[in-house]
Amino acid sequence: KLICSEHGDRYFTQKITDLCYKQIKQKAHFSFPKLSEIQREWVYYYVAHGCSGVLGCWIKSGMTEPPEKVSAFMDKLLQNTIQSL
């Protein structure tokens, strides 16, 4: 909770979003052949902001859920999102 408090790193959320963006772009670089380059960028940002939002919520709520459970949930969300593209 301290990281997200007023005394924590005010750039923490942006750092998490940037990290999520880099990870999804690396993993999905050759995916989405039907999408234009800008549409792929939109997907990367959409996923990055969603993942950072889930992580931020998890941190603010005290990280009571096991990290593996949070990761599995985010993976399921991601898979369901990209299946339709």
Side-chain angles (χ1 to χ4, degrees):
K1 286 187 176 183
L2 185 59
I3 287 175
C4 297
S5 75
E6 63 186 59
H7 302 292
D9 182 351
R10 66 182 180 168
Y11 299 107
F12 179 74
T13 303
Q14 186 60 48
K15 290 175 186 176
I16 294 294
T17 302
D18 291 345
L19 180 62
C20 291
Y21 172 84
K22 288 176 188 174
Q23 289 294 314
I24 186 62
K25 189 168 183 173
Q26 282 179 347
K27 291 182 179 183
H29 182 70
F30 297 106
S31 299
F32 316 118
K34 295 178 184 179
L35 300 181
S36 69
E37 184 64 33
I38 191 64
Q39 289 172 325
R40 283 191 292 272
E41 283 294 309
W42 294 341
V43 170
Y44 304 150
Y45 276 100
Y46 176 82
V47 170
H49 282 275
C51 288
S52 66
V54 170
L55 290 173
C57 182
W58 177 65
I59 291 167
K60 286 181 182 180
S61 67
M63 299 184 292
T64 55
E65 295 290 328
E68 298 82 12
K69 187 174 181 180
V70 177
S71 176
F73 180 75
M74 287 193 304
D75 187 53
K76 187 174 183 180
L77 286 174
L78 175 60
Q79 294 304 319
N80 287 331
T81 298
I82 64 174
Q83 279 180 346
S84 65
L85 297 177

